[in-house]
Every structure is written in structure tokens, then in C-alpha cells.
Amino acid sequence: MKPVLRQVRALHRLEPADNDHLAALRVALSVAVPSLILLLLGREDLIVYAVFGALTGMYGRSEPHQLRLRHQSQAALVLVGGVAVGVFLSVNHLQSWWLVAVEALLAGVGSVYSDRVKLKPNGPFFGILALGACASVPTTVPWFVALLIAAGAAAFSMAVGFGGWVRGRSWQRGAARDVVALSGAAGRAAAVHAARYTLAVGLAGSIGVLSGSGHPHWAMAAAAVPLAGADLPSRVRRGIHRIVGTFLGLAVTAVVLVPAPWSLAPFFAAHQVVVLAILVIVFQFTTELFMTRHYGLAMVSFTPVILLMTQLAAPMDPSVLILERGVETFVGALVGILVVVAVRQGVMRPATLRFPLLRPARRPGE
């Protein structure tokens, strides 16, 4: 009984703060600058590519500058790669089962890569989210323009993350990120973990397609969420947080988007595009503020980020948008939880490291 109560308490436990506001400001700035530039150019439909590139800033938040730069360059490969594949599918009108097959396959590949370089946040989640989102909106510019926007935003976020070094100029000789040798038992564990991702993402996407949903990629992304946990209890918690946090986030989104007497939509109808773009930046700040402290609270903000970006890129009936997000998230998270419960062998364990990770004391403001 005590273990059960301990897990229930963990569902609403708020982890201690660790300069979260600084990390949140870095990410918000990384999102704000390219997004506002596109808004000024009258191309709010392209903000989705900028935001996914700018999410590079979410990685390496607690590392020294030189290691953060390397970490973010590794993450940029996942994010910009996801955008590139998504744009390819969109340009060639490869939807439905093509999207499910490609995203499931790349979820497994991304899992192996993220285990190899030890991405934090764990797993390929943001890469496959970028893939699905970009594949599901029409590409209104040449493919290379969309890719350049994502790559430029990723480069800018890396510059923001490294910017604090200019003041301190401290460089730790020999410092390097941990690298896991995926051989032997560790390799087998990584292969099983990748199989979990492929199974969960493929199954959730198949259900989404068969149900006739217009956004099966949301189910696939939600299915990947529980797999990023360190152990079975934390994986189940992440799935529950995903569901509850998303539903609360949908309520926030409804207040912004759905025309009704109780919503804010009628008050900014004349400037809706500008308001939505600004809200994407604000909600991304609050997402990062709670990302490492409580995943469910982070989802309350991240859900509006995704839906507002979608609405800017390809406007549709907000009620349908919110309903499909809720259904797909519930189905996907449930599939992810079932997969982590059913496939429990080969849990990843740290292997021999090629280099030690040196962690010098952080200076205020870094």
C-alpha cells in the first residue's frame, strides 16, 4: 500500500526550482525573435517551422556553455531533421499510412540516437512532434525555405544558449558530454527501447488513421511521452500527466480560440494573428518554466502552443481542433502506457563512458 501511496503523491509533487526562469527566458527569446520577424513579414503561417527549430533551446539547460552548445547541436539535428521529413511528406502529399509508417520508423531511429548522445529532455519526442506537425500542414513556400527557417531558428537558439559565455569566457579544457557505448547489454537495451517507440507510435497512429482523425500525429506524439521516463512508475506518471495537463490546456485554448461569451476571442478578433503569435511565445515561456518541475503543469501551457501554431499555419474550426487534440492525446498516451507496461525488458543502464562529464559551478545568470 505504501508504494502505491508514494506514487500517487508523486503525481502532484513539484520538484525544486533550479534557475528555471533563466532557461525559460532563453527558450522564450529563441522562439520570440524568429516568430516576430515572420509576423512582421506577414508570414505567420511559417511560424510553425521557426518554433520547432527554436525548441533546440530546451536542451542542455543545466550544462556549462561549451557542453550546452554541443548538446543543442545534437538536438538541432533531431528537430530540424523532423521538420525536413515532415515538409517532404507535406510537399509530396504523403499522409495517412505514409505518415504513420515514416514517423514510427524514425521514432525508433531517434530513440537509438537520443540514447547514444543522452539528450535531455529524453527521447525523440520533439523530433517526431515536429515531423507530424509539419507533415500535416500545407507547405506554402518552397521546401528549402521552410527548412532554412527551422535551421536558422535552431542556430539562433544555440547562439542564445551560448551567449552567456561572452561575459564569463570560461572554457573547461577536456570537458565533454557523456557518450553511451551502445554495445553488449546496453545495445540490446537500446534496441528494445527503440522497439517500444516504434510499436507505441505505430499503434497509436494506426488507431488515429482508422478512426478518421485529421491529426493522427498527435496520438503518435502522445504515445511517445511515457517512454521518456526513467523507470516504469515515472513512465506511467508521464502518461497521466500528459492526459490531465492536455485537458487543462485545452480549456485554456478554448478561452483563447472559441468564439463564445465566456472566451477572449471576440475581444481580439481584429488582431487575432498578432495575439496568437504573442501567446505562442508567452506559453512557451511558461512551458519551460515547469518542464523539469512538473510535466503535467508544463503541458497546460504546451498544449496551447501547439494548437495556436496549428491555427496560424492552417486555420480550422477551433472546436474540432480542440476535440481532436483531446481524443488523440488520450488514445496516444493510453497506448504508450500500455506499451511500457507490456514491454518491460531491457531497461537502459549507463554503460562505459568515453569521457567524463565535468560540471563546473554555474555563475549567476548563466
Side-chain angles (χ1 to χ4, degrees):
M1 188 63 182
K2 287 184 178 179
V4 174
L5 292 175
R6 190 161 52 246
Q7 295 304 325
V8 171
R9 286 194 293 269
L11 281 171
H12 58 266
R13 182 176 63 229
L14 190 66
E15 299 297 335
D18 182 22
N19 284 330
D20 300 282
H21 63 289
L22 294 178
L25 282 172
R26 286 198 300 265
V27 175
L29 179 61
S30 299
V31 170
V33 171
S35 297
L36 292 177
I37 290 174
L38 290 170
L39 185 64
L40 290 174
L41 294 175
R43 294 310 305 262
E44 65 277 355
D45 56 314
L46 304 180
I47 288 177
V48 61
Y49 307 118
V51 171
F52 280 121
L55 291 184
T56 299
M58 297 181 70
Y59 293 81
R61 58 183 288 161
S62 61
E63 291 180 325
H65 289 104
Q66 70 196 83
L67 300 187
R68 182 187 300 151
L69 182 65
R70 181 172 177 80
H71 194 165
Q72 291 183 346
S73 66
Q74 294 164 338
L77 180 61
V78 174
L79 287 162
V80 178
V83 170
V85 176
V87 169
F88 174 83
L89 294 176
S90 175
V91 168
N92 291 282
H93 307 288
L94 299 174
Q95 301 294 329
S96 189
W97 294 110
W98 274 103
L99 175 58
V100 173
V102 171
E103 188 160 336
L105 176 63
L106 292 187
V109 174
S111 172
V112 174
Y113 175 76
S114 62
D115 283 346
R116 178 77 171 87
V117 301
K118 300 188 70 174
L119 290 183
K120 299 288 182 180
N122 297 330
F125 169 76
F126 290 104
I128 62 176
L129 180 64
L131 190 164
C134 294
S136 301
V137 298
T139 305
T140 57
V141 292
W143 65 267
F144 59 87
V145 173
L147 195 56
L148 284 174
I149 291 172
F156 176 72
S157 68
M158 291 167 63
V160 170
F162 192 70
W165 177 85
V166 175
R167 183 183 58 188
R169 295 176 183 258
S170 60
W171 195 272
Q172 193 88 17
R173 293 189 62 183
R177 298 200 65 243
D178 291 357
V179 179
V180 177
L182 297 183
S183 59
R188 290 189 294 273
V192 171
H193 198 43
R196 290 193 193 103
Y197 269 102
T198 300
L199 175 61
V201 171
L203 182 57
S206 298
I207 294 172
V209 171
L210 291 172
S211 69
S213 168
H215 299 87
H217 64 284
W218 286 340
M220 291 189 278
V225 168
L227 280 72
D231 52 28
L232 179 61
S234 65
R235 289 168 183 168
V236 174
R237 282 199 303 272
R238 282 178 66 87
I240 296 172
H241 281 173
R242 180 72 177 192
I243 294 171
V244 176
T246 295
F247 284 179
L248 293 175
L250 291 176
V252 175
T253 307
V255 171
V256 175
L257 287 181
V258 178
W262 44 265
S263 76
L264 299 177
F267 296 100
F268 59 78
H271 306 285
Q272 185 180 35
V273 169
V274 175
V275 173
L276 294 187
I278 293 174
L279 286 178
V280 167
I281 299 168
V282 173
F283 283 128
Q284 187 57 56
F285 171 80
T286 54
T287 296
E288 186 64 13
L289 198 61
F290 291 102
M291 184 58 76
T292 61
R293 301 189 67 192
H294 193 285
Y295 186 75
L297 286 177
M299 288 304 101
V300 176
S301 294
F302 193 61
T303 298
V305 169
I306 297 300
L307 296 188
L308 298 185
M309 283 197 310
T310 302
Q311 196 69 350
L312 287 170
M316 62 179 294
D317 183 345
S319 300
V320 175
L321 188 74
I322 290 170
L323 177 61
E324 289 196 349
R325 176 69 174 188
V327 172
E328 295 299 325
T329 296
F330 180 80
V331 170
L334 187 59
V335 168
I337 291 172
L338 292 176
V339 168
V340 299
V341 171
V343 187
R344 299 174 61 179
Q345 295 80 18
V347 179
M348 190 74 177
R349 292 287 183 267
T352 303
L353 305 180
R354 283 182 10 199
F355 303 103
L357 177 60
L358 304 181
R359 292 183 178 274
R362 295 179 66 194
R363 292 175 173 80
E366 287 192 344

